[in-house]
Structures are given as structure tokens and as C-alpha cells.
Amino acid sequence: MSRRGLVSLTTRRQVRRNGGDLARAATQRLEAQHDWYARLTAQERSWVGLVAQAGIANFIQWLDGEESADTRTTFGAAPRELTRTISLAQTLELARSVVEVVEEHVEELAKPADVTDLRIAVLRYSREIAFGAAQVYAHAAEQRGAWDARLESLVIDAVMRGEVDESIRTRAAALGWGDVTDLVVLVGDSPRSSDDDDPALAVGQVHRTAQRLDLPVLAGVQGARLVAVVGSVQDPAATAAGFAECFADGDLVHGPLVTDLTEGAVSAHAAVAGHLAAPGWPTRPRPVAADDLLGERAIAGDDLARATLVEQVQLPLEEHPSLLDTARTHLESPGLEATARTLIVHVNTVRYRLGRISEVIGYDLTVTHEAFTVRVALTLGAILEDPSNIAG
């Protein structure tokens, strides 16, 4: 049976004549019953009022059996921004208020013989308008998701290129990154999927992990790499470990901790350079810090790593000639005793100096990989010290 057949023409005309009063009553019901409505701005309340009025008008069309009566058009009366202002649950409360107002006036609107049929029609309409609201919000979420994904990709690209200006910060703020600080960039291989390697799958996994860890994140796939910019980080190594499952097997490198997106390129550069150079350290951990790969990065051609090594190793040791001499000698010797013989000092003196070297530069020459890093640093320093290598 059609909707037109349920309710008589007389009752439908009565409902239509009272449409304005029903819409005003629905708006008053919102003001009286829902706290969230009072917290809206004047413009937002006007949007909600439009939806309430459209809900009544749409019910009248629906009751008349008009083909154009689609419950989703109720929510088309307001701008799409309304879906960001009020939640789906609040929208359903709005729709319920509209329906309740009509239901309360059924006996005034309907002929006695139509009261039951009109109540049934109201119940059917309430079900359809709920489905309509869910469809509108699902569509809005889909559009917003696609837009947010493009925006996120744009911000990631800017961070990786070191081009974070005011416009990029504004775009990042639209993604909820207006006040995010303490960032670290993670770089690893993007996981392969059976769905034509859809980058959205990898990015989605990063976002789900970030939600579980309660950390803000921006993610994107660039070629074969998956990049994640994580905010509110306290321990970069622990954070990288927390996201490790999002990346394919292989190297996962985290850059150094930086203050905000403006400095994000520093962490990004280090992470990318570290990911390229990581195979040079056979026993590297996973994840690994880019700063632990300075030697490999320098050999691979990373100018920033080279400058950092000279600044952190060569220059401080130059201020302590005996320590610099001990470092160079020990790196060429097969052990402590051999170093002591070459320097003509007691072996305990060598141990003391190695301890002091560790205090001054932060590297322990008794640890194989740290000794390698220092060797690279001192080699770079020696090359730079050679007058023949200075451009005239």
C-alpha cells in the first residue's frame, strides 16, 4: 500500500496547512531539550532550524507520495559544514524531535479515522529519515576522508622537501596539527598488499596504530617508502617500535626529535638518508636511529652527516690533543696494549683516555660500530684539514 493510500486527502491537506507551526514547534523543542543546540553559534542554529523546517516539509511530500520526497534532502537544507559541527547522534536527535512534534499533534491533524494510519506513517518516516541521516553522514565522511587524504599527502610532501611555510601550517591545522609539537619522522618500506598495493591501506594502518597509541600522525606513501610524521613524542625509539608493524620487513629508520613541522625537514632528511645507508651496518637494529647511522650516511654522500660528524667528533677532540692522538692511534691498533706501546704510556692511561673520549664526544671506541663512526669522522676531519683540499 502506498503512503498516499494510508492517509486520506483531507488529513494530508491539514498536515500541509499546519507545516509552518510544526516547524516552529520542532525548533522550540530543540532549544528546550538539547544542551548541544544552545552551544551552537547563531549561524549554526539557523542551519539546524533549516533542517527542522525541511524535515517537516519533506514529511509532507513523503506523506503525499511525491517521487521527489527523499529523506536525504532534509539534510541538504544546511551547508555541508553542518556535518562537522554536530555529530550523527545529534542529527538523529534533531530528526527525532521533528518526528515527535508531528506525533504529538496527530490527533489535531488527522480525521478520527486517520489517526492510526497517520501514526503509522510517522513511525515509517522516522525510520526512513534515520537512514537518510546515516547516508548523508557516510557520504560526508567519504568526501572528507578523500579531501583529508589529499591534504595529508600535501603536508607530507612539504615536510619531506623542507618547504613548510605558513600555507602548509594552515593546511596542517585543518588536519588537527595546529598545536602539535615534538615530532619525529619514520621512514621504512611500504607493505605490499593484494589490492594492487593501494597506498591508502598502508596509511590507514598507520592511523589505526596512532589512534591506539594516542599520538597524532601524518602518513603517506612515496614510491616504495612509507613515511610517518608522529607528534607528541617523548621517546623516538619507543615510538618507532610502536609503529613497526605498519611497515614492511626491512629497515625502519627514525629521524631525530624536532620541535614542530617547521623543523620537520631535519628529521625527514636524516630518516631518508639513514634508510638509504642502513645496509652499510650489517648488525643494525630495527628500528634504528638515523643519528646512529652517521658514519654510513657520510660514506653514502650525506653532506649533513659529514658536517655533523666533524662537528661532534673532530672539532671537540682537537681541543684535547692527547685524546685526539689516542683516538687515532687506538683505531689503528689491535688492542689496548698495542695502543699503550705506540703512545709509550701505561695501559691504564689508555683506558682513562678512552673513557674521557667517550665523555667528550659520546662515542665508545671499545664498541665496534661506534669506533667505526669515529674513524669515519676523523677521516673526514683529516681530509678537510689537508690544505690541498681547500678550494682556492
Side-chain angles (χ1 to χ4, degrees), residues 163-213:
E163 298 176 358
V164 177
D165 55 16
E166 188 59 37
S167 66
I168 293 299
R169 285 195 292 271
T170 299
R171 289 171 169 80
L175 295 170
W177 273 64
D179 300 319
V180 176
T181 58
D182 299 325
L183 315 182
V184 68
V185 176
L186 314 180
V187 173
D189 292 328
S190 178
R192 302 297 178 182
S193 72
S194 58
D195 298 332
D196 298 325
D197 297 336
D198 184 0
L201 297 177
V203 172
Q205 177 62 28
V206 173
H207 280 283
R208 287 190 293 274
T209 300
Q211 186 174 21
R212 175 171 54 81
L213 298 175

Side-chain angles (χ1 to χ4, degrees), residues 30-31 34-41 45:
L30 289 172
E31 295 174 354
H34 304 301
D35 292 339
W36 57 264
Y37 181 81
R39 292 194 293 269
L40 299 178
T41 65
R45 286 197 297 272

Side-chain angles (χ1 to χ4, degrees), residues 319-347:
E319 298 178 4
H320 305 274
S322 64
L323 299 184
L324 178 59
D325 189 28
T326 299
R328 285 173 171 166
T329 302
H330 184 69
L331 290 171
E332 298 296 333
S333 301
L336 292 176
E337 290 79 5
T339 302
R341 286 195 298 272
T342 301
L343 294 174
I344 315 177
V345 296
H346 193 276
V347 69

Side-chain angles (χ1 to χ4, degrees), residues 159-160 177 181-187 227-240 252-275 287-294 297 302 304-305 308 312 363:
V159 171
M160 301 304 286
W177 273 64
T181 58
D182 299 325
L183 315 182
V184 68
V185 176
L186 314 180
V187 173
V227 177
V229 181
V230 188
S232 302
V233 173
Q234 296 182 350
D235 184 339
T239 298
L252 172 58
V253 182
H254 67 83
L257 192 65
V258 295
T259 302
D260 54 27
L261 277 178
T262 305
E263 299 179 359
V266 174
S267 188
H269 172 92
V272 170
H275 190 254
V288 60
D291 284 352
D292 289 341
L293 292 162
L294 285 172
R297 287 165 52 191
D302 181 5
L304 179 60
T308 300
Q312 292 183 354
Y363 288 96

Side-chain angles (χ1 to χ4, degrees), residues 74-116:
T74 296
F75 307 99
R80 189 166 56 191
E81 287 85 348
L82 186 62
T83 60
R84 289 182 178 269
T85 302
I86 66 175
S87 67
L88 174 58
Q90 291 169 336
T91 301
L92 292 176
E93 289 179 358
L94 163 60
R96 202 156 38 239
S97 294
V98 170
V99 171
E100 285 174 356
V101 166
V102 177
E103 191 174 17
E104 289 174 0
H105 290 79
V106 163
E107 294 186 359
E108 303 171 19
L109 298 170
K111 293 171 53 179
D114 287 339
V115 169
T116 299

